[in-house]
Protein backbone atom coordinates (compact mmCIF):
# COMPACT_ATOMS: atom_id res chain seq x y z
CA UNK A 1 0.00 0.00 0.00
CA UNK A 2 1.02 3.60 -0.45
CA UNK A 3 0.42 5.78 2.58
CA UNK A 4 -1.39 8.43 0.57
CA UNK A 5 -4.10 9.05 3.16
CA UNK A 6 -5.31 12.58 2.49
CA UNK A 7 -8.30 14.45 3.81
CA UNK A 8 -11.05 13.90 1.25
CA UNK A 9 -14.06 15.97 0.29
CA UNK A 10 -17.20 13.88 0.09
CA UNK A 11 -20.76 14.63 -0.95
CA UNK A 12 -23.55 12.68 0.72
CA UNK A 13 -27.37 12.72 0.79
CA UNK A 14 -29.31 11.87 3.95
CA UNK A 15 -31.76 8.98 3.29
CA UNK A 16 -34.76 10.98 4.55
CA UNK A 17 -36.92 9.67 1.70
CA UNK A 18 -35.22 6.29 1.36
CA UNK A 19 -37.57 3.45 0.41
CA UNK A 20 -37.61 0.39 -1.80
CA UNK A 21 -40.59 1.06 -4.05
CA UNK A 22 -39.33 -0.26 -7.39
CA UNK A 23 -36.90 -2.90 -8.56
CA UNK A 24 -34.04 -1.88 -10.86
CA UNK A 25 -31.46 -4.33 -9.51
CA UNK A 26 -31.71 -7.86 -8.06
CA UNK A 27 -31.20 -6.66 -4.47
CA UNK A 28 -34.42 -4.63 -4.45
CA UNK A 29 -37.68 -6.25 -3.34
CA UNK A 30 -40.49 -3.71 -3.01
CA UNK A 31 -42.55 -6.30 -1.09
CA UNK A 32 -39.93 -6.74 1.66
CA UNK A 33 -40.03 -4.60 4.81
CA UNK A 34 -37.44 -1.89 5.44
CA UNK A 35 -36.85 0.53 8.25
CA UNK A 36 -36.33 4.15 7.22
CA UNK A 37 -35.29 5.30 10.70
CA UNK A 38 -32.65 2.59 10.86
CA UNK A 39 -31.42 3.53 7.38
CA UNK A 40 -30.97 7.12 8.56
CA UNK A 41 -29.08 6.12 11.70
CA UNK A 42 -26.81 3.72 9.79
CA UNK A 43 -26.10 6.49 7.28
CA UNK A 44 -25.41 8.99 10.10
CA UNK A 45 -22.86 6.55 11.46
CA UNK A 46 -21.15 6.37 8.06
CA UNK A 47 -21.02 10.16 7.89
CA UNK A 48 -19.60 10.39 11.41
CA UNK A 49 -16.98 7.77 10.49
CA UNK A 50 -15.76 9.99 7.63
CA UNK A 51 -15.73 13.07 9.89
CA UNK A 52 -13.75 11.18 12.55
CA UNK A 53 -11.19 10.27 9.87
CA UNK A 54 -10.72 13.98 9.17
CA UNK A 55 -12.66 14.12 5.91
CA UNK A 56 -15.07 16.85 4.88
CA UNK A 57 -18.66 15.79 4.25
CA UNK A 58 -20.94 18.09 2.32
CA UNK A 59 -24.64 17.42 1.95
CA UNK A 60 -27.17 17.72 -0.84
CA UNK A 61 -30.83 18.13 0.10
CA UNK A 62 -32.77 14.89 -0.34
CA UNK A 63 -35.82 15.26 -2.58
CA UNK A 64 -39.15 13.55 -1.96
CA UNK A 65 -40.05 10.93 -4.56
CA UNK A 66 -36.40 10.02 -5.17
CA UNK A 67 -35.83 7.11 -2.76
CA UNK A 68 -32.42 6.21 -4.26
CA UNK A 69 -31.01 9.74 -4.02
CA UNK A 70 -29.05 8.64 -0.94
CA UNK A 71 -26.69 6.92 -3.40
CA UNK A 72 -24.63 10.04 -4.05
CA UNK A 73 -21.92 8.13 -5.92
CA UNK A 74 -24.35 8.08 -8.83
CA UNK A 75 -24.58 11.88 -8.88
CA UNK A 76 -21.50 12.61 -10.98
CA UNK A 77 -17.80 11.98 -11.52
CA UNK A 78 -15.40 14.72 -10.44
CA UNK A 79 -11.71 14.79 -11.37
CA UNK A 80 -9.49 17.88 -11.14
CA UNK A 81 -12.56 20.03 -10.57
CA UNK A 82 -14.16 18.84 -13.81
CA UNK A 83 -17.63 17.40 -13.38
CA UNK A 84 -19.15 14.86 -15.73
CA UNK A 85 -22.88 14.90 -15.02
CA UNK A 86 -24.97 11.76 -15.05
CA UNK A 87 -27.76 10.27 -17.09
CA UNK A 88 -29.57 7.37 -15.47
CA UNK A 89 -30.67 4.23 -17.28
CA UNK A 90 -33.92 4.06 -15.35
CA UNK A 91 -36.70 6.65 -15.39
CA UNK A 92 -37.19 6.18 -11.63
CA UNK A 93 -33.86 7.89 -10.96
CA UNK A 94 -33.80 10.41 -13.84
CA UNK A 95 -34.68 13.46 -11.73
CA UNK A 96 -31.63 12.94 -9.53
CA UNK A 97 -29.35 14.00 -12.39
CA UNK A 98 -30.37 17.70 -12.53
CA UNK A 99 -30.45 17.90 -8.72
CA UNK A 100 -26.82 16.79 -8.47
CA UNK A 101 -25.79 18.96 -11.44
CA UNK A 102 -27.33 22.01 -9.73
CA UNK A 103 -25.49 21.23 -6.52
CA UNK A 104 -22.21 21.43 -8.43
CA UNK A 105 -23.17 24.50 -10.47
CA UNK A 106 -24.26 26.35 -7.32
CA UNK A 107 -20.74 25.83 -6.00
CA UNK A 108 -19.00 27.16 -9.08
CA UNK A 109 -18.29 23.92 -10.93
CA UNK A 110 -18.90 23.66 -14.61
CA UNK A 111 -20.93 20.53 -15.32
CA UNK A 112 -20.59 18.66 -18.58
CA UNK A 113 -24.02 17.34 -19.57
CA UNK A 114 -23.53 13.75 -20.76
CA UNK A 115 -24.81 12.55 -24.10
CA UNK A 116 -24.79 8.90 -23.04
CA UNK A 117 -26.02 6.96 -20.04
CA UNK A 118 -23.53 7.03 -17.20
CA UNK A 119 -24.21 6.55 -13.52
CA UNK A 120 -21.27 8.49 -12.13
CA UNK A 121 -18.88 6.96 -9.66
CA UNK A 122 -21.08 3.89 -9.51
CA UNK A 123 -19.34 2.88 -12.74
CA UNK A 124 -16.41 5.29 -13.11
CA UNK A 125 -13.60 5.01 -10.56
CA UNK A 126 -10.32 6.90 -10.46
CA UNK A 127 -7.42 4.53 -9.83
CA UNK A 128 -4.15 6.44 -9.75
CA UNK A 129 -3.92 8.16 -13.12
CA UNK A 130 -6.53 6.14 -14.95
CA UNK A 131 -10.27 5.81 -14.82
CA UNK A 132 -11.75 2.34 -14.56
CA UNK A 133 -15.14 2.32 -16.23
CA UNK A 134 -17.75 -0.41 -15.98
CA UNK A 135 -20.35 -1.26 -18.56
CA UNK A 136 -22.83 -4.05 -19.16
CA UNK A 137 -25.77 -3.06 -17.00
CA UNK A 138 -26.02 0.70 -16.40
CA UNK A 139 -23.33 2.91 -17.88
CA UNK A 140 -23.27 2.72 -21.69
CA UNK A 141 -20.03 1.77 -23.40
CA UNK A 142 -20.40 4.87 -25.58
CA UNK A 143 -20.06 7.04 -22.47
CA UNK A 144 -16.53 5.80 -21.84
CA UNK A 145 -15.12 7.84 -24.73
CA UNK A 146 -17.06 10.85 -23.51
CA UNK A 147 -15.67 10.29 -20.00
CA UNK A 148 -12.10 10.25 -21.31
CA UNK A 149 -12.70 13.42 -23.32
CA UNK A 150 -14.28 15.35 -20.44
CA UNK A 151 -12.17 14.14 -17.53
CA UNK A 152 -8.91 13.89 -19.51
CA UNK A 153 -7.72 10.62 -18.04
CA UNK A 154 -7.24 7.33 -19.89
CA UNK A 155 -10.35 5.19 -19.53
CA UNK A 156 -10.13 1.43 -19.16
CA UNK A 157 -13.36 -0.32 -20.13
CA UNK A 158 -14.40 -3.21 -17.88
CA UNK A 159 -17.24 -5.54 -18.81
CA UNK A 160 -19.53 -6.50 -15.92
CA UNK A 161 -21.28 -9.85 -16.33
CA UNK A 162 -23.18 -10.61 -13.09
CA UNK A 163 -26.48 -8.73 -12.61
CA UNK A 164 -25.98 -8.77 -8.82
CA UNK A 165 -22.88 -6.63 -9.40
CA UNK A 166 -24.52 -4.19 -11.75
CA UNK A 167 -22.32 -1.18 -10.93
CA UNK A 168 -18.52 -1.31 -11.02
CA UNK A 169 -18.37 -0.13 -7.41
CA UNK A 170 -20.18 -3.28 -6.26
CA UNK A 171 -17.45 -5.50 -7.75
CA UNK A 172 -14.27 -3.44 -7.39
CA UNK A 173 -12.83 -1.04 -4.83
CA UNK A 174 -9.93 1.33 -5.41
CA UNK A 175 -7.70 1.07 -2.34
CA UNK A 176 -4.98 3.58 -3.21
CA UNK A 177 -3.02 4.96 -6.16
CA UNK A 178 -1.73 1.55 -7.16
CA UNK A 179 -4.02 -1.13 -5.85
CA UNK A 180 -7.58 -2.38 -5.91
CA UNK A 181 -9.72 -5.18 -4.49
CA UNK A 182 -12.19 -6.98 -6.74
CA UNK A 183 -14.32 -10.03 -7.43
CA UNK A 184 -12.91 -11.58 -10.63
CA UNK A 185 -16.04 -13.54 -11.54
CA UNK A 186 -18.06 -10.31 -11.78
CA UNK A 187 -16.04 -9.47 -14.94
CA UNK A 188 -15.76 -10.95 -18.42
CA UNK A 189 -12.65 -13.11 -19.09
CA UNK A 190 -11.03 -10.32 -21.10
CA UNK A 191 -11.62 -7.75 -18.38
CA UNK A 192 -10.27 -10.16 -15.76
CA UNK A 193 -7.07 -10.42 -17.78
CA UNK A 194 -6.80 -6.63 -18.02
CA UNK A 195 -7.28 -6.23 -14.28
CA UNK A 196 -4.64 -8.89 -13.65
CA UNK A 197 -2.21 -7.07 -15.90
CA UNK A 198 -2.84 -3.63 -14.38
CA UNK A 199 -3.06 -4.72 -10.74
CA UNK A 200 -0.96 -7.85 -10.25
CA UNK A 201 -1.04 -7.41 -6.46
CA UNK A 202 -4.77 -6.80 -6.18
CA UNK A 203 -6.72 -8.19 -3.28
CA UNK A 204 -9.09 -10.86 -4.52
CA UNK A 205 -12.45 -10.76 -2.75
CA UNK A 206 -14.46 -13.88 -1.97
CA UNK A 207 -18.05 -14.44 -3.14
CA UNK A 208 -19.09 -14.05 0.53
CA UNK A 209 -17.51 -10.59 0.66
CA UNK A 210 -19.24 -9.51 -2.53
CA UNK A 211 -22.60 -10.92 -1.38
CA UNK A 212 -22.66 -8.43 1.52
CA UNK A 213 -21.53 -5.65 -0.84
CA UNK A 214 -18.13 -5.75 0.86
CA UNK A 215 -16.42 -4.29 -2.20
CA UNK A 216 -18.63 -1.23 -1.99
CA UNK A 217 -16.02 0.34 0.24
CA UNK A 218 -14.44 3.78 0.60
CA UNK A 219 -10.67 4.04 0.96
CA UNK A 220 -8.64 7.17 1.68
CA UNK A 221 -5.46 5.30 0.80
CA UNK A 222 -4.91 4.09 4.33
CA UNK A 223 -8.24 3.40 6.01
CA UNK A 224 -10.91 1.38 4.25
CA UNK A 225 -14.50 1.89 5.40
CA UNK A 226 -16.42 -1.23 4.43
CA UNK A 227 -19.49 -3.27 5.37
CA UNK A 228 -18.81 -4.93 8.72
CA UNK A 229 -20.22 -8.21 7.36
CA UNK A 230 -17.33 -8.53 4.86
CA UNK A 231 -15.08 -10.54 7.16
CA UNK A 232 -12.81 -12.20 4.55
CA UNK A 233 -12.07 -8.88 2.88
CA UNK A 234 -11.43 -7.20 6.23
CA UNK A 235 -8.86 -9.89 7.05
CA UNK A 236 -7.17 -9.59 3.63
CA UNK A 237 -7.00 -5.79 3.91
CA UNK A 238 -5.52 -5.98 7.39
CA UNK A 239 -2.94 -8.46 6.17
CA UNK A 240 -2.01 -6.09 3.34
CA UNK A 241 -1.44 -3.25 5.82
CA UNK A 242 -4.65 -1.25 5.53
CA UNK A 243 -6.67 -0.05 8.48
CA UNK A 244 -10.31 -1.03 8.32
CA UNK A 245 -13.51 0.31 9.83
CA UNK A 246 -16.62 -1.85 9.55
CA UNK A 247 -19.97 -0.12 9.18
CA UNK A 248 -23.45 -1.63 9.06
CA UNK A 249 -25.59 -0.38 6.18
CA UNK A 250 -27.95 -3.37 6.13
CA UNK A 251 -31.03 -1.24 5.38
CA UNK A 252 -29.47 0.48 2.38
CA UNK A 253 -28.26 -2.88 1.10
CA UNK A 254 -31.94 -3.69 0.52
CA UNK A 255 -31.70 -1.20 -2.36
CA UNK A 256 -28.39 -2.65 -3.53
CA UNK A 257 -26.14 -0.03 -1.98
CA UNK A 258 -23.30 0.19 0.55
CA UNK A 259 -20.82 2.76 1.89
CA UNK A 260 -19.31 3.70 -1.48
CA UNK A 261 -22.71 4.14 -3.11
CA UNK A 262 -23.51 6.74 -0.43
CA UNK A 263 -20.31 8.69 -1.10
CA UNK A 264 -19.26 10.88 -4.02
CA UNK A 265 -15.71 12.17 -3.96
CA UNK A 266 -15.32 15.81 -4.96
CA UNK A 267 -11.80 16.17 -6.36
CA UNK A 268 -11.23 19.87 -6.88
N1 LIG B 1 -31.07 1.20 -5.99
C1 LIG B 1 -29.97 1.89 -6.59
C2 LIG B 1 -29.91 1.54 -8.07
O1 LIG B 1 -30.14 0.40 -8.39
C3 LIG B 1 -28.69 1.53 -5.92
C4 LIG B 1 -27.53 2.32 -6.42
C5 LIG B 1 -26.24 1.93 -5.77
N2 LIG B 1 -25.21 2.81 -6.13
C6 LIG B 1 -23.97 2.45 -6.48
N3 LIG B 1 -23.07 3.35 -6.64
N4 LIG B 1 -23.67 1.17 -6.70
O2 LIG B 1 -29.63 2.37 -8.91
Amino acid sequence: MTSSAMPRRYLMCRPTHFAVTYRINPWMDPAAPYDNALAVSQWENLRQTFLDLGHTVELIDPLPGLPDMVFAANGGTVVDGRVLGVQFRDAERADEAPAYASWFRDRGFEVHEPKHTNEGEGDILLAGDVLLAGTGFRTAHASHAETQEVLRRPVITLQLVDPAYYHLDTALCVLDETNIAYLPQAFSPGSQAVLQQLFPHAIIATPQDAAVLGLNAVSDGRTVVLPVQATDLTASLTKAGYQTIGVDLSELRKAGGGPKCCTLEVRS
Side-chain angles (χ1 to χ4, degrees):
M1 66 175 271
T2 58
S3 53
S4 59
M6 282 184 318
R8 309 281 172 139
R9 181 178 177 193
Y10 294 135
L11 174 60
M12 298 180 73
C13 180
R14 187 174 274 106
T16 313
H17 307 292
F18 174 71
V20 182
T21 52
Y22 50 78
R23 181 180 167 93
I24 56 173
N25 71 54
W27 302 79
M28 303 176 87
D29 176 3
Y34 62 88
D35 181 338
N36 179 273
L38 182 57
V40 172
S41 73
Q42 291 178 335
W43 177 93
E44 290 287 0
N45 177 56
L46 176 66
R47 173 169 171 257
Q48 192 57 49
T49 301
F50 291 144
L51 294 174
D52 292 345
L53 285 167
H55 303 312
T56 301
V57 177
E58 290 176 68
L59 299 176
I60 180 172
D61 289 334
L63 297 174
L66 296 175
D68 273 335
M69 193 172 169
V70 57
F71 300 118
N74 302 126
T77 309
V78 192
V79 179
D80 298 329
R82 294 192 177 88
V83 182
L84 174 61
V86 296
Q87 191 181 106
F88 286 92
R89 182 195 67 177
D90 299 291
E92 290 89 340
R93 298 196 66 186
D95 289 345
E96 294 179 42
Y100 278 95
S102 298
W103 188 92
F104 281 105
R105 283 199 189 98
D106 290 349
R107 280 152 193 83
F109 291 89
E110 206 183 296
V111 178
H112 177 95
E113 291 291 344
K115 288 185 188 63
H116 302 283
T117 300
N118 94 73
E119 299 197 353
E121 282 208 332
D123 275 319
I124 306 168
L125 296 171
L126 183 68
D129 293 331
V130 303
L131 288 162
L132 304 177
T135 189
F137 297 102
R138 300 293 183 88
T139 294
H141 186 211
S143 81
H144 293 186
E146 183 175 29
T147 300
Q148 176 164 287
E149 209 51 40
V150 174
L151 299 179
R152 305 184 185 182
R153 300 294 181 104
V155 169
I156 310 281
T157 290
L158 298 169
Q159 194 71 44
L160 295 163
V161 296
D162 182 339
Y165 306 116
Y166 57 97
H167 273 144
L168 182 63
D169 72 357
T170 63
L172 184 151
C173 169
V174 175
L175 297 173
D176 57 34
E177 302 274 297
T178 58
N179 210 7
I180 62 168
Y182 68 106
L183 180 74
Q185 47 275 50
F187 297 90
S188 68
S191 295
Q192 289 184 35
V194 167
L195 287 170
Q196 238 169 56
Q197 185 198 327
L198 291 177
F199 304 101
H201 307 296
I203 291 178
I204 302 301
T206 63
Q208 289 82 354
D209 291 325
V212 293
L213 288 178
L215 286 161
N216 198 253
V218 180
S219 176
D220 64 12
R222 188 158 53 123
T223 303
V224 184
V225 178
L226 79 168
V228 67
Q229 295 86 359
T231 48
D232 293 340
L233 184 58
T234 301
S236 307
L237 289 167
T238 306
K239 203 164 151 234
Y242 296 94
Q243 287 179 16
T244 61
I245 298 178
V247 291
D248 188 3
L249 287 183
S250 58
E251 287 306 302
L252 295 172
R253 194 163 70 224
K254 294 175 180 172
K260 170 59 207 162
C261 298
C262 295
T263 314
L264 177 59
E265 186 163 354
V266 182
R267 302 178 189 87
S268 7

